[in-house]
Amino acid sequence: QVQLVESGGGLAQAGGSLSVACAASGSIFRIDDMGWYRRSPGKQRELVAVISRGGSTTFAEAVKGRFTVSRDNGKKTVTLQMNSLNAEDTGVYYCNAVITAQELGYNVPVWGQGTLVTVSS
């Protein structure tokens, strides 16, 4: 069964750092874009960062210069490093990957279960 499993997150103080990681598992033929979205209190889910298979990155304006995203294609993992955290970064962070697999089909978006990041001010 194809799935994304997140790890990391937790509690940090404002100005601190945290990282969240995501690993894809199952019988996967190919993973294209991988990324992170978040749902902050009172807001809809929004893009945080995306990284292409070739390593091109896109970041939300709110996190540019503070967050970095990386991936390991061989291990099927993506990691979000979050620095200079502030209270507005609080939310549930969801991993997303565009996956081609026999059980899913071609280029299907798959979501992780989410991991909570809380930043105290």
Side-chain angles (χ1 to χ4, degrees), residues 26-77:
S27 183
I28 295 170
F29 178 71
R30 179 185 172 92
I31 303 177
D32 285 284
D33 287 355
M34 302 185 81
W36 292 91
Y37 292 70
R38 70 185 179 193
R39 179 178 285 130
S40 300
K43 297 183 179 180
Q44 292 186 333
R45 187 158 56 185
E46 61 181 357
L47 170 73
V48 176
V50 173
I51 182 168
S52 73
R53 184 175 178 83
S56 298
T57 57
T58 301
F59 293 93
E61 285 295 326
V63 307
K64 281 183 179 178
R66 300 188 297 121
F67 290 13
T68 60
V69 62
S70 61
R71 66 187 284 173
D72 185 323
N73 290 332
K75 294 182 179 179
K76 301 186 183 67
T77 60

Short mmCIF file of all heavy atoms in Angstrom, two decimals, residues 26-77:
data_model
loop_
_atom_site.label_atom_id
_atom_site.label_comp_id
_atom_site.label_asym_id
_atom_site.label_seq_id
_atom_site.Cartn_x
_atom_site.Cartn_y
_atom_site.Cartn_z
N GLY A 26 5.82 1.66 -0.21
CA GLY A 26 4.91 0.93 -1.08
C GLY A 26 5.55 0.69 -2.43
O GLY A 26 6.70 1.08 -2.69
N SER A 27 4.81 0.06 -3.30
CA SER A 27 5.30 -0.25 -4.64
C SER A 27 5.11 0.97 -5.54
O SER A 27 4.05 1.16 -6.13
CB SER A 27 4.56 -1.46 -5.20
OG SER A 27 5.07 -1.80 -6.47
N ILE A 28 6.14 1.79 -5.61
CA ILE A 28 6.08 3.08 -6.30
C ILE A 28 6.96 3.05 -7.54
O ILE A 28 8.13 2.68 -7.45
CB ILE A 28 6.53 4.22 -5.36
CG1 ILE A 28 5.54 4.35 -4.19
CG2 ILE A 28 6.66 5.53 -6.11
CD1 ILE A 28 6.02 5.28 -3.09
N PHE A 29 6.41 3.46 -8.65
CA PHE A 29 7.19 3.54 -9.88
C PHE A 29 7.95 4.85 -9.97
O PHE A 29 9.14 4.86 -10.33
CB PHE A 29 6.28 3.37 -11.10
CG PHE A 29 7.00 3.48 -12.41
CD1 PHE A 29 7.87 2.48 -12.83
CD2 PHE A 29 6.84 4.60 -13.23
CE1 PHE A 29 8.55 2.59 -14.04
CE2 PHE A 29 7.51 4.71 -14.43
CZ PHE A 29 8.37 3.71 -14.83
N ARG A 30 7.30 5.94 -9.59
CA ARG A 30 7.94 7.25 -9.75
C ARG A 30 7.29 8.26 -8.81
O ARG A 30 6.08 8.21 -8.59
CB ARG A 30 7.78 7.72 -11.19
CG ARG A 30 8.38 9.10 -11.49
CD ARG A 30 8.05 9.53 -12.92
NE ARG A 30 8.44 10.89 -13.18
CZ ARG A 30 9.62 11.24 -13.69
NH1 ARG A 30 10.52 10.31 -13.99
NH2 ARG A 30 9.91 12.51 -13.91
N ILE A 31 8.11 9.18 -8.28
CA ILE A 31 7.60 10.30 -7.51
C ILE A 31 8.03 11.58 -8.18
O ILE A 31 9.24 11.78 -8.40
CB ILE A 31 8.09 10.28 -6.05
CG1 ILE A 31 7.71 8.98 -5.36
CG2 ILE A 31 7.49 11.47 -5.28
CD1 ILE A 31 8.22 8.86 -3.93
N ASP A 32 7.10 12.42 -8.53
CA ASP A 32 7.44 13.73 -9.10
C ASP A 32 7.54 14.74 -7.97
O ASP A 32 8.33 14.56 -7.04
CB ASP A 32 6.46 14.09 -10.20
CG ASP A 32 6.74 13.28 -11.46
OD1 ASP A 32 7.71 13.61 -12.16
OD2 ASP A 32 6.03 12.30 -11.72
N ASP A 33 6.76 15.81 -7.98
CA ASP A 33 6.86 16.83 -6.94
C ASP A 33 6.59 16.23 -5.56
O ASP A 33 5.71 15.39 -5.39
CB ASP A 33 5.86 17.96 -7.18
CG ASP A 33 6.26 18.85 -8.34
OD1 ASP A 33 7.35 18.65 -8.89
OD2 ASP A 33 5.47 19.74 -8.70
N MET A 34 7.37 16.70 -4.59
CA MET A 34 7.12 16.40 -3.18
C MET A 34 7.09 17.74 -2.45
O MET A 34 7.79 18.68 -2.84
CB MET A 34 8.21 15.51 -2.58
CG MET A 34 8.40 14.19 -3.27
SD MET A 34 9.60 13.12 -2.43
CE MET A 34 8.58 12.45 -1.11
N GLY A 35 6.30 17.81 -1.40
CA GLY A 35 6.25 19.09 -0.72
C GLY A 35 5.52 19.04 0.59
O GLY A 35 5.13 17.97 1.08
N TRP A 36 5.36 20.23 1.14
CA TRP A 36 4.73 20.40 2.44
C TRP A 36 3.66 21.49 2.36
O TRP A 36 3.87 22.54 1.75
CB TRP A 36 5.78 20.80 3.48
CG TRP A 36 6.74 19.70 3.75
CD1 TRP A 36 7.93 19.46 3.14
CD2 TRP A 36 6.56 18.65 4.70
NE1 TRP A 36 8.51 18.34 3.65
CE2 TRP A 36 7.70 17.81 4.62
CE3 TRP A 36 5.57 18.33 5.62
CZ2 TRP A 36 7.86 16.68 5.42
CZ3 TRP A 36 5.74 17.21 6.42
CH2 TRP A 36 6.87 16.40 6.32
N TYR A 37 2.57 21.21 2.99
CA TYR A 37 1.48 22.15 3.15
C TYR A 37 1.19 22.26 4.64
O TYR A 37 1.59 21.39 5.41
CB TYR A 37 0.23 21.67 2.42
CG TYR A 37 0.36 21.67 0.90
CD1 TYR A 37 1.19 20.76 0.26
CD2 TYR A 37 -0.34 22.58 0.13
CE1 TYR A 37 1.32 20.77 -1.13
CE2 TYR A 37 -0.23 22.59 -1.25
CZ TYR A 37 0.60 21.68 -1.87
OH TYR A 37 0.72 21.70 -3.23
N ARG A 38 0.51 23.30 5.02
CA ARG A 38 0.14 23.42 6.44
C ARG A 38 -1.25 24.01 6.57
O ARG A 38 -1.70 24.77 5.73
CB ARG A 38 1.14 24.28 7.21
CG ARG A 38 1.13 25.76 6.87
CD ARG A 38 2.23 26.50 7.59
NE ARG A 38 2.25 27.92 7.25
CZ ARG A 38 3.25 28.74 7.54
NH1 ARG A 38 4.33 28.28 8.19
NH2 ARG A 38 3.19 30.01 7.20
N ARG A 39 -1.89 23.63 7.66
CA ARG A 39 -3.16 24.23 8.03
C ARG A 39 -2.97 24.87 9.38
O ARG A 39 -2.80 24.17 10.39
CB ARG A 39 -4.29 23.20 8.08
CG ARG A 39 -5.63 23.81 8.50
CD ARG A 39 -6.74 22.80 8.51
NE ARG A 39 -7.16 22.49 7.16
CZ ARG A 39 -7.28 21.25 6.69
NH1 ARG A 39 -7.00 20.22 7.45
NH2 ARG A 39 -7.69 21.06 5.45
N SER A 40 -2.97 26.19 9.38
CA SER A 40 -2.84 26.94 10.63
C SER A 40 -4.22 27.19 11.21
O SER A 40 -5.21 27.16 10.49
CB SER A 40 -2.12 28.27 10.36
OG SER A 40 -0.82 28.03 9.85
N PRO A 41 -4.29 27.45 12.52
CA PRO A 41 -5.60 27.67 13.15
C PRO A 41 -6.40 28.75 12.45
O PRO A 41 -5.89 29.85 12.23
CB PRO A 41 -5.21 28.08 14.58
CG PRO A 41 -3.90 27.43 14.82
CD PRO A 41 -3.19 27.46 13.50
N GLY A 42 -7.62 28.42 12.08
CA GLY A 42 -8.49 29.40 11.44
C GLY A 42 -8.22 29.63 9.97
O GLY A 42 -8.85 30.50 9.35
N LYS A 43 -7.31 28.87 9.39
CA LYS A 43 -6.97 29.08 7.99
C LYS A 43 -7.13 27.79 7.19
O LYS A 43 -7.16 26.70 7.75
CB LYS A 43 -5.52 29.57 7.85
CG LYS A 43 -5.25 30.91 8.49
CD LYS A 43 -3.81 31.33 8.24
CE LYS A 43 -3.50 32.69 8.84
NZ LYS A 43 -2.10 33.10 8.61
N GLN A 44 -7.20 27.95 5.89
CA GLN A 44 -7.24 26.77 5.03
C GLN A 44 -5.83 26.24 4.82
O GLN A 44 -4.84 26.95 5.06
CB GLN A 44 -7.87 27.15 3.68
CG GLN A 44 -9.35 27.48 3.78
CD GLN A 44 -9.97 27.70 2.41
OE1 GLN A 44 -9.30 28.10 1.46
NE2 GLN A 44 -11.27 27.46 2.29
N ARG A 45 -5.76 25.03 4.35
CA ARG A 45 -4.46 24.43 4.07
C ARG A 45 -3.77 25.24 2.97
O ARG A 45 -4.40 25.59 1.97
CB ARG A 45 -4.62 22.97 3.68
CG ARG A 45 -3.31 22.24 3.52
CD ARG A 45 -3.47 20.75 3.66
NE ARG A 45 -4.43 20.16 2.76
CZ ARG A 45 -4.79 18.87 2.81
NH1 ARG A 45 -4.26 18.07 3.72
NH2 ARG A 45 -5.66 18.41 1.96
N GLU A 46 -2.48 25.50 3.14
CA GLU A 46 -1.74 26.32 2.19
C GLU A 46 -0.39 25.68 1.89
O GLU A 46 0.16 24.94 2.71
CB GLU A 46 -1.50 27.72 2.76
CG GLU A 46 -0.69 27.73 4.05
CD GLU A 46 -0.49 29.12 4.62
OE1 GLU A 46 -0.93 30.11 4.01
OE2 GLU A 46 0.14 29.22 5.69
N LEU A 47 0.11 26.02 0.72
CA LEU A 47 1.42 25.54 0.33
C LEU A 47 2.50 26.17 1.19
O LEU A 47 2.48 27.38 1.45
CB LEU A 47 1.67 25.88 -1.14
CG LEU A 47 3.09 25.66 -1.65
CD1 LEU A 47 3.37 24.18 -1.80
CD2 LEU A 47 3.31 26.39 -2.97
N VAL A 48 3.47 25.35 1.61
CA VAL A 48 4.64 25.86 2.31
C VAL A 48 5.86 25.79 1.39
O VAL A 48 6.54 26.78 1.16
CB VAL A 48 4.92 25.06 3.60
CG1 VAL A 48 6.20 25.55 4.26
CG2 VAL A 48 3.75 25.17 4.56
N ALA A 49 6.12 24.60 0.85
CA ALA A 49 7.28 24.42 -0.02
C ALA A 49 7.08 23.18 -0.87
O ALA A 49 6.49 22.20 -0.43
CB ALA A 49 8.56 24.27 0.80
N VAL A 50 7.58 23.26 -2.09
CA VAL A 50 7.53 22.13 -3.01
C VAL A 50 8.90 21.98 -3.65
O VAL A 50 9.58 22.97 -3.93
CB VAL A 50 6.47 22.35 -4.11
CG1 VAL A 50 6.55 21.25 -5.16
CG2 VAL A 50 5.08 22.40 -3.52
N ILE A 51 9.29 20.73 -3.88
CA ILE A 51 10.56 20.45 -4.55
C ILE A 51 10.30 19.44 -5.66
O ILE A 51 9.65 18.41 -5.44
CB ILE A 51 11.64 19.97 -3.56
CG1 ILE A 51 12.97 19.73 -4.28
CG2 ILE A 51 11.18 18.73 -2.79
CD1 ILE A 51 14.14 19.54 -3.31
N SER A 52 10.80 19.74 -6.83
CA SER A 52 10.60 18.86 -7.96
C SER A 52 11.57 17.68 -7.89
O SER A 52 12.52 17.68 -7.09
CB SER A 52 10.80 19.62 -9.27
OG SER A 52 12.19 19.89 -9.46
N ARG A 53 11.35 16.74 -8.76
CA ARG A 53 12.24 15.58 -8.81
C ARG A 53 13.67 16.01 -9.11
O ARG A 53 14.63 15.43 -8.62
CB ARG A 53 11.74 14.60 -9.86
CG ARG A 53 12.52 13.30 -9.96
CD ARG A 53 11.87 12.35 -10.94
NE ARG A 53 12.64 11.13 -11.08
CZ ARG A 53 12.56 10.11 -10.24
NH1 ARG A 53 11.72 10.15 -9.22
NH2 ARG A 53 13.31 9.03 -10.42
N GLY A 54 13.82 17.06 -9.89
CA GLY A 54 15.14 17.56 -10.24
C GLY A 54 15.73 18.52 -9.24
O GLY A 54 16.87 18.97 -9.40
N GLY A 55 14.95 18.87 -8.21
CA GLY A 55 15.49 19.72 -7.15
C GLY A 55 15.08 21.19 -7.21
O GLY A 55 15.51 21.98 -6.37
N SER A 56 14.24 21.56 -8.15
CA SER A 56 13.75 22.94 -8.18
C SER A 56 12.77 23.15 -7.04
O SER A 56 11.95 22.27 -6.77
CB SER A 56 13.06 23.22 -9.52
OG SER A 56 13.98 23.09 -10.59
N THR A 57 12.85 24.31 -6.40
CA THR A 57 12.03 24.56 -5.22
C THR A 57 11.13 25.78 -5.38
O THR A 57 11.46 26.72 -6.11
CB THR A 57 12.91 24.77 -3.98
OG1 THR A 57 13.82 25.85 -4.23
CG2 THR A 57 13.70 23.52 -3.65
N THR A 58 10.01 25.73 -4.69
CA THR A 58 9.08 26.84 -4.60
C THR A 58 8.68 26.98 -3.14
O THR A 58 8.40 25.99 -2.47
CB THR A 58 7.81 26.56 -5.44
OG1 THR A 58 8.18 26.37 -6.81
CG2 THR A 58 6.84 27.72 -5.34
N PHE A 59 8.66 28.22 -2.66
CA PHE A 59 8.32 28.49 -1.26
C PHE A 59 7.20 29.52 -1.18
O PHE A 59 7.12 30.43 -1.99
CB PHE A 59 9.53 29.02 -0.49
CG PHE A 59 10.64 28.03 -0.33
CD1 PHE A 59 11.68 27.99 -1.24
CD2 PHE A 59 10.64 27.14 0.73
CE1 PHE A 59 12.71 27.08 -1.11
CE2 PHE A 59 11.67 26.22 0.88
CZ PHE A 59 12.70 26.20 -0.04
N ALA A 60 6.40 29.40 -0.15
CA ALA A 60 5.44 30.45 0.16
C ALA A 60 6.22 31.69 0.58
O ALA A 60 7.29 31.59 1.19
CB ALA A 60 4.52 30.00 1.29
N GLU A 61 5.66 32.86 0.27
CA GLU A 61 6.35 34.11 0.61
C GLU A 61 6.64 34.19 2.10
O GLU A 61 7.69 34.69 2.51
CB GLU A 61 5.49 35.30 0.17
CG GLU A 61 5.48 35.58 -1.31
CD GLU A 61 6.85 36.01 -1.83
OE1 GLU A 61 7.59 36.69 -1.09
OE2 GLU A 61 7.19 35.64 -2.97
N ALA A 62 5.74 33.69 2.91
CA ALA A 62 5.87 33.81 4.36
C ALA A 62 7.05 33.05 4.94
O ALA A 62 7.49 33.33 6.06
CB ALA A 62 4.58 33.35 5.04
N VAL A 63 7.58 32.08 4.17
CA VAL A 63 8.65 31.25 4.72
C VAL A 63 9.97 31.41 3.96
O VAL A 63 10.98 30.81 4.35
CB VAL A 63 8.25 29.76 4.75
CG1 VAL A 63 6.92 29.59 5.48
CG2 VAL A 63 8.18 29.15 3.36
N LYS A 64 9.96 32.19 2.91
CA LYS A 64 11.18 32.38 2.12
C LYS A 64 12.30 32.92 2.99
O LYS A 64 12.10 33.84 3.78
CB LYS A 64 10.92 33.33 0.96
CG LYS A 64 10.23 32.68 -0.22
CD LYS A 64 10.07 33.67 -1.37
CE LYS A 64 9.40 33.02 -2.57
NZ LYS A 64 9.21 33.98 -3.68
N GLY A 65 13.47 32.32 2.83
CA GLY A 65 14.62 32.75 3.61
C GLY A 65 14.72 32.12 4.98
O GLY A 65 15.75 32.24 5.65
N ARG A 66 13.65 31.44 5.40
CA ARG A 66 13.67 30.81 6.73
C ARG A 66 13.59 29.28 6.63
O ARG A 66 14.14 28.58 7.47
CB ARG A 66 12.49 31.31 7.56
CG ARG A 66 12.49 32.80 7.81
CD ARG A 66 11.40 33.20 8.80
NE ARG A 66 10.06 32.92 8.30
CZ ARG A 66 9.19 32.12 8.94
NH1 ARG A 66 9.55 31.49 10.05
NH2 ARG A 66 7.98 31.92 8.44
N PHE A 67 12.87 28.79 5.64
CA PHE A 67 12.67 27.35 5.49
C PHE A 67 13.47 26.86 4.29
O PHE A 67 13.63 27.57 3.29
CB PHE A 67 11.20 27.03 5.25
CG PHE A 67 10.30 27.22 6.44
CD1 PHE A 67 10.71 27.90 7.57
CD2 PHE A 67 9.00 26.73 6.41
CE1 PHE A 67 9.87 28.08 8.66
CE2 PHE A 67 8.15 26.89 7.47
CZ PHE A 67 8.59 27.58 8.60
N THR A 68 13.94 25.63 4.39
CA THR A 68 14.53 24.95 3.24
C THR A 68 13.88 23.58 3.09
O THR A 68 13.40 23.00 4.07
CB THR A 68 16.05 24.78 3.39
OG1 THR A 68 16.33 24.01 4.56
CG2 THR A 68 16.76 26.13 3.49
N VAL A 69 13.88 23.11 1.86
CA VAL A 69 13.29 21.78 1.59
C VAL A 69 14.30 20.98 0.78
O VAL A 69 14.98 21.53 -0.10
CB VAL A 69 11.93 21.92 0.85
CG1 VAL A 69 12.07 22.59 -0.50
CG2 VAL A 69 11.25 20.57 0.76
N SER A 70 14.41 19.72 1.08
CA SER A 70 15.33 18.84 0.38
C SER A 70 14.68 17.47 0.21
O SER A 70 13.73 17.13 0.92
CB SER A 70 16.64 18.73 1.13
OG SER A 70 16.43 18.18 2.42
N ARG A 71 15.21 16.70 -0.70
CA ARG A 71 14.67 15.36 -0.92
C ARG A 71 15.78 14.39 -1.28
O ARG A 71 16.84 14.80 -1.77
CB ARG A 71 13.59 15.36 -2.00
CG ARG A 71 14.08 15.70 -3.38
CD ARG A 71 12.92 15.85 -4.37
NE ARG A 71 12.37 14.56 -4.76
CZ ARG A 71 11.27 14.42 -5.52
NH1 ARG A 71 10.60 15.51 -5.91
NH2 ARG A 71 10.84 13.21 -5.87
N ASP A 72 15.50 13.13 -1.04
CA ASP A 72 16.40 12.06 -1.43
C ASP A 72 15.57 11.12 -2.31
O ASP A 72 14.73 10.39 -1.80
CB ASP A 72 16.94 11.34 -0.19
CG ASP A 72 17.97 10.28 -0.52
OD1 ASP A 72 17.83 9.60 -1.56
OD2 ASP A 72 18.91 10.12 0.25
N ASN A 73 15.81 11.17 -3.60
CA ASN A 73 15.00 10.37 -4.51
C ASN A 73 15.20 8.87 -4.28
O ASN A 73 14.25 8.10 -4.41
CB ASN A 73 15.32 10.72 -5.96
CG ASN A 73 14.84 12.11 -6.34
OD1 ASN A 73 13.86 12.62 -5.78
ND2 ASN A 73 15.52 12.76 -7.27
N GLY A 74 16.40 8.48 -3.95
CA GLY A 74 16.65 7.06 -3.71
C GLY A 74 15.92 6.52 -2.49
O GLY A 74 15.41 5.40 -2.50
N LYS A 75 15.82 7.35 -1.46
CA LYS A 75 15.15 6.93 -0.23
C LYS A 75 13.68 7.32 -0.22
O LYS A 75 12.96 6.98 0.71
CB LYS A 75 15.86 7.55 0.98
CG LYS A 75 17.28 7.04 1.18
CD LYS A 75 17.92 7.66 2.41
CE LYS A 75 19.34 7.12 2.61
NZ LYS A 75 20.00 7.73 3.80
N LYS A 76 13.26 8.07 -1.22
CA LYS A 76 11.87 8.52 -1.32
C LYS A 76 11.48 9.35 -0.09
O LYS A 76 10.41 9.14 0.52
CB LYS A 76 10.91 7.33 -1.49
CG LYS A 76 11.16 6.47 -2.71
CD LYS A 76 10.06 5.43 -2.86
CE LYS A 76 10.31 4.50 -4.03
NZ LYS A 76 11.49 3.64 -3.82
N THR A 77 12.34 10.28 0.26
CA THR A 77 12.07 11.13 1.42
C THR A 77 12.13 12.60 1.05
O THR A 77 12.81 12.99 0.09
CB THR A 77 13.07 10.87 2.55
OG1 THR A 77 14.39 11.14 2.07
CG2 THR A 77 13.00 9.43 3.03
#
